[in-house]
Amino acid sequence: MPIDSDRRPDPEMLLKQIDAQGEQLQHERLKVFLGYASGVGKSFRMLDEGRRRRLRGQDVIVGAIQPDMPPELQFLLQNIDVIPLKKIDGAEVMDVEAILCRHPQVCLVDGVAYNNPPGSKNPYRWQDVEELLAAGIVVITSVNLQHIEECREAVEKITCKPVTETIPERFLYNADEIVLVDVPPDLLLERAGQPCGPYTTTGDQPRRLAARGSG
């Protein structure tokens, strides 16, 4: 059967696409998926981005992932290398040394607002990420609004859900791109929990959370 030349990939065009991807990676540093609350789909968006980049030929690995992933997230991990977490005094932490040794083009870090246990090289996971960035590795990560230190107190007043693990707002200044992972107000209310204190009007909490995210 004759081959339709119009359907064959143009080698020159493929080379241009590869060069364009290389230039993009050279200028990238950090991409953050920011959510108003847990369960809005940050991890899915992050892993799907990794999947699509891998299909485009980029060297993508997972440096840290949340435990007990639902099936739809496990599916996205099928063709991506995962660097196992290491244990320090029984606590699991991202294996920065192994990632640096592997030195991928892109590293996915799910949940950047983690405190590392005593004995770790860095006290916080966001500092681990800064180390990867300094080594020239593009990092794609996720975080909830309440885990940004400067937003923590305001969100706690609305949700009455204290958090102890945060990142400084200045960490986000490293980002080339911040993607807001949004959901309808009713679903946001369900994910964030019922408001407490003076905020008891239906629909008030999502608006207040949204205001914190856009401020």
Side-chain angles (χ1 to χ4, degrees):
M1 180 181 294
I3 298 176
D4 186 349
S5 60
D6 292 336
R7 294 185 180 181
R8 287 184 297 181
D10 182 346
E12 196 168 317
M13 183 63 68
L14 288 175
L15 184 59
K16 287 181 180 179
Q17 290 176 353
I18 292 171
D19 289 342
Q21 289 180 23
E23 290 179 8
Q24 178 189 9
L25 285 168
Q26 287 177 4
H27 292 91
E28 278 188 306
R29 278 176 51 82
L30 176 66
K31 182 171 184 176
V32 179
F33 287 96
L34 173 65
Y36 287 142
S38 297
V40 296
K42 302 179 306 301
S43 297
F44 181 88
R45 292 283 301 275
M46 181 195 70
L47 292 173
D48 189 54
E49 168 109 358
R51 178 191 65 83
R52 289 184 285 107
R53 284 173 178 256
R54 189 179 184 283
L55 288 175
R56 295 199 299 266
Q58 295 180 17
D59 181 16
V60 181
I61 63 102
V62 174
I65 194 68
Q66 304 283 5
D68 303 322
M69 289 184 302
E72 60 269 23
L73 296 189
Q74 294 178 16
F75 173 77
L76 292 174
L77 284 172
Q78 285 183 348
N79 296 311
I80 302 179
D81 290 341
V82 178
I83 302 296
L85 300 175
K86 67 178 182 180
K87 288 192 175 183
I88 297 179
D89 292 333
E92 292 185 327
V93 298
M94 187 164 65
D95 194 339
V96 177
E97 292 78 10
I99 296 171
L100 291 174
C101 183
R102 170 70 165 72
H103 208 283
Q105 291 176 304
V106 181
C107 180
L108 310 181
V109 179
D110 193 22
V112 70
Y114 270 84
N115 295 341
N116 291 332
S120 301
K121 180 179 179 182
N122 299 310
Y124 307 105
R125 181 173 287 180
W126 62 266
Q127 294 173 320
D128 293 340
V129 168
E130 287 190 330
E131 193 170 342
L132 299 181
L133 295 174
I137 298 172
V138 175
V139 176
I140 304 175
T141 190
S142 64
V143 69
N144 289 331
L145 182 66
Q146 69 265 35
H147 291 285
I148 300 173
E149 179 58 36
E150 289 77 2
C151 299
R152 177 186 58 79
E153 185 176 352
V155 177
E156 277 185 16
K157 288 179 179 179
I158 299 172
T159 64
C160 285
K161 292 183 176 180
V163 298
T164 58
E165 297 178 312
T166 62
I167 64 171
E169 188 177 272
R170 68 174 178 81
F171 170 78
L172 298 177
Y173 299 160
N174 292 313
D176 305 288
E177 185 178 2
I178 297 176
V179 179
L180 181 62
V181 183
D182 201 1
V183 293
D186 289 344
L187 183 56
L188 176 59
L189 185 62
E190 177 185 330
R191 294 288 189 267
Q194 292 299 320
C196 61
Y199 312 124
T200 55
T201 304
T202 301
D204 188 44
Q205 183 189 25
R207 287 195 294 273
R208 290 177 181 274
L209 288 173
R212 292 302 305 176
S214 60

